[in-house]
Amino acid sequence: MNEHKGQSLDVLVPRGLIGNFKGVCSAPVTAEGLCSCRIRLQDGYVSSLEAIGCEHEAPLKLLLPRLVEPHAHIDKAFTWTKFPNLKGTYQGALEANLKEHQSRTTQLVRSRAEKALNLSLKNGLRAVRSHVDSFGVCANQHWDALLELQKEWKPFIELQLVALVPLEYWSTHDGHLLAKRVAASGGFLGGVLVPPCNKKEVTLYLTNMLRLAKSLGCGIDLHIDESTTHFAVGLKQLIKVLDQISFNIPITCSHASSMGLLADSELRNLADRLAQHDVNVVALPITNAWLLSRKSRTTSVNRPLAPIAQLQEAGVLVAVGSDNVQDPWFPGGNFDPLALMSSVVPLAQLAPWNRLGLAPLTTAAANVMDLDWDGTITQGSPADFLLLAARNWTEALSSSPFRQVMIKGKWLDESN
C-alpha cells in the first residue's frame, strides 16, 4: 500500500452516506442523490468534508465506504465444478453439499476461504460474515483453520463466523461444547428452520438454542423460511419463543423468503412483531431467485423474497447479502459487492439514490453485523473507501467499473 497523509479527495458521495457536516448541508444534489465533496484525510481518518462546485477539468468519481457482506459461505465456495447441482433445486443443492462433505479436508476449506477473502479485499469488502458447516468428524479442525485466517486477515477484513449445524445439535452435549468454543471466539450460533418446522420439538430445540446463546452472551443467525410452502412458519415459531422468554442477544434471520408470500395484513403484522423483538433480517435475493419456485418446463413468475420495504417500514433492520458463491446452491458470484448491487437493484427494486434503497447494501448491513463503523462518512470516520471510475449510479451498475480500495488512508496496491 502507498501511504498518503494529509491528502484530500474530490469525489461524488451519496447524500445518504454523509454525516452531519454543516459544510455539505446546503450542497447541490444530483437527481441520483450524489453530492460533490472534498474529503480531507489525516492519519487514516476523515478530518473534514466540504461541498465543492461542479467546475472540474475531469468528471468526479463515485466514492463509497468499503462495503460489507452480511451472509456468505466461504467454506464451501468454489465447489460447483466438482459438486454441481444441475437441476438448480434446493434438494439437489443439499444432496451435492452433503457429497462435498465426504471429501472435505481442512486444507480445502482453508484454501477456499483464502480465495474468498482475497477476492473480497480486491473487490472492496471490509467485513464478511460467513456461515460455516460445523458438523462432521473434522469440523473442529475446519473451525481452527478459519479462526487462524480470521486473525491473519484482521488488518484488512473483519471475518465473522457462524457455526451452522442442525438446530437440534445445540440441545446435545457436543452442541454445548461447540457453542462454548464459538462464543469464546466471538462467533455466532446458526441453524436452519425450513418446513416442516412447526412441531413441538422444533420449538423446544429453538428455545434451547436461544437460552444457550443467552447464557454464553453470543448472537444467533438463522437460515429461516427459505421455502415456497408454509409461509413464514419459521419466523412465527421464533416469535412464539421470543414472546415467552426475554432475550437480549443479537438475533438475525437470514432469507425470510416465504414471508414475502404472505397476505399484506399478515405480512405487516409479522414485520411489526419482528421489530418489537429487535430481530434483524438479511435478504438473499440471488440464491433464492435461483433455487426456489422451480417447476419443470415452467418459468416461475412468483418468486419468494424477503419483503425488504415492508420490513423497513415496520422498523426492522434489513441487510442484503450474496449468500452462495460458485457452490451447489448457486453457480455464480465472485464476492463482488458491486455485482451484488447490480443484480439486487432489479430483483428487489432497490433504488440506491434513496436512503432506504442504499441502506441494505451499506449502513444497515454494517449495523446488522454490529461493526464499529456503519459506513457513514463523518469527521473521525475511517478513510476506508471504494473509489469507482463511475460518474453516476448508471455507470456504477451497468458494468463492473475500475475501482481503487483505500484502507485507513492508504491505497491498496494492485499487487496485493
Side-chain angles (χ1 to χ4, degrees):
M1 292 187 206
N2 300 319
E3 186 169 1
H4 296 274
K5 292 187 177 181
Q7 70 182 114
S8 65
L9 301 171
D10 288 356
V11 291
L12 293 167
V13 181
R15 183 64 186 90
L17 295 179
I18 297 175
N20 188 22
F21 273 109
K22 293 181 180 179
V24 294
C25 289
S26 59
V29 182
T30 71
E32 290 187 340
L34 302 176
C35 294
S36 300
C37 299
R38 176 167 294 141
I39 301 176
R40 298 187 188 278
L41 311 177
Q42 187 67 43
D43 297 324
Y45 294 88
V46 174
S47 58
S48 68
L49 185 137
E50 62 189 55
I52 56 176
C54 300
E55 58 283 350
H56 289 269
E57 294 181 4
L60 297 179
K61 296 179 180 180
L62 177 58
L63 184 89
L64 299 173
R66 280 207 299 153
L67 300 172
V68 305
E69 173 53 76
H71 188 114
H73 293 267
I74 63 175
D75 59 322
K76 66 183 71 171
F78 316 112
T79 57
W80 170 274
T81 302
K82 290 187 176 181
F83 301 95
N85 169 26
L86 299 178
K87 291 184 178 180
T89 63
Y90 185 98
Q91 186 60 34
L94 183 60
E95 291 170 0
N97 197 154
L98 293 176
K99 286 181 181 177
E100 181 269 313
H101 273 265
Q102 296 172 14
S103 60
R104 175 178 283 207
T105 66
T106 300
Q107 183 54 44
L108 282 172
V109 169
R110 184 183 175 97
S111 64
R112 294 168 194 160
E114 284 184 312
K115 182 177 179 180
L117 292 170
N118 273 298
L119 284 169
S120 298
L121 179 63
K122 173 186 173 184
N123 289 331
L125 289 171
R126 62 186 172 96
V128 175
R129 177 179 290 184
S130 178
H131 296 246
V132 180
D133 291 356
S134 301
F135 49 89
V137 292
C138 295
N140 283 333
Q141 292 95 310
H142 303 162
W143 191 264
D144 284 339
L146 293 175
L147 287 178
E148 289 176 6
L149 284 179
Q150 182 185 62
K151 189 177 298 183
E152 292 172 17
W153 279 82
K154 189 174 182 180
F156 308 106
I157 290 179
E158 179 172 332
L159 176 60
Q160 298 182 354
L161 300 174
V162 183
L164 181 59
V165 298
L167 198 65
E168 60 268 24
Y169 188 74
W170 298 120
S171 295
T172 68
H173 174 70
D174 287 344
H176 282 227
L177 294 178
L178 174 62
K180 290 179 181 178
R181 190 152 186 258
V182 170
S185 63
F188 299 77
L189 307 190
V192 181
L193 273 84
V194 293
C197 61
N198 55 353
K199 299 179 181 179
K200 288 184 178 180
E201 57 263 34
V202 175
T203 303
L204 176 62
Y205 294 146
L206 185 57
T207 302
N208 290 345
M209 176 192 185
L210 288 166
R211 283 178 169 159
L212 179 61
K214 181 181 180 180
S215 70
L216 296 171
C218 67
I220 70 167
D221 193 331
L222 295 165
H223 286 64
I224 195 164
D225 293 326
E226 186 183 7
S227 68
T228 55
T229 63
H230 301 79
F231 305 158
V233 66
L235 289 170
K236 293 173 184 177
Q237 284 280 80
L238 176 63
I239 292 297
K240 185 188 300 184
V241 173
L242 294 176
D243 283 343
Q244 299 299 317
I245 307 171
S246 175
F247 294 99
N248 58 353
I249 57 173
I251 299 175
T252 298
C253 290
S254 293
H255 290 290
S257 318
S258 65
M259 181 181 177
L261 301 177
L262 292 171
D264 286 348
S265 59
E266 189 177 5
L267 190 158
R268 294 183 187 280
N269 179 63
L270 182 55
D272 288 339
R273 301 302 310 283
L274 292 171
Q276 290 168 12
H277 287 293
D278 292 323
V279 175
N280 302 326
V281 171
V282 177
L284 302 164
I286 297 177
T287 296
N288 289 165
W290 171 252
L291 284 179
L292 303 181
S293 292
R294 282 186 176 270
K295 298 178 183 177
S296 178
R297 300 182 64 82
T298 301
T299 297
S300 175
V301 295
N302 191 19
R303 307 286 179 90
L305 169 67
I308 296 171
Q310 296 94 317
L311 287 163
Q312 289 176 323
E313 186 177 353
V316 177
L317 193 61
V318 187
V320 169
S322 61
D323 200 3
N324 302 92
V325 171
Q326 300 176 41
D327 67 22
W329 303 87
F330 182 67
N334 204 32
F335 294 96
D336 184 345
L338 297 180
L340 171 65
M341 191 179 294
S342 182
S343 298
V344 167
V345 162
L347 279 173
Q349 298 181 340
L350 296 177
W353 44 87
N354 296 331
R355 183 180 61 82
L356 288 177
L358 185 58
L361 297 153
T362 55
T363 53
N367 283 323
V368 165
M369 295 182 68
D370 196 26
L371 301 179
D372 291 338
W373 178 46
D374 70 355
T376 301
I377 300 171
T378 187
Q379 187 173 16
S381 62
D384 279 16
F385 297 133
L386 185 58
L387 184 63
L388 310 179
R391 297 167 294 180
N392 48 49
W393 282 116
T394 299
E395 292 184 0
L397 298 175
S398 61
S399 62
S400 182
F402 175 77
R403 67 199 76 181
Q404 294 171 272
V405 176
M406 176 179 280
I407 304 176
K408 291 290 182 68
K410 303 175 183 179
W411 293 113
L412 182 67
D413 291 338
E414 291 184 358
S415 59
N416 287 349

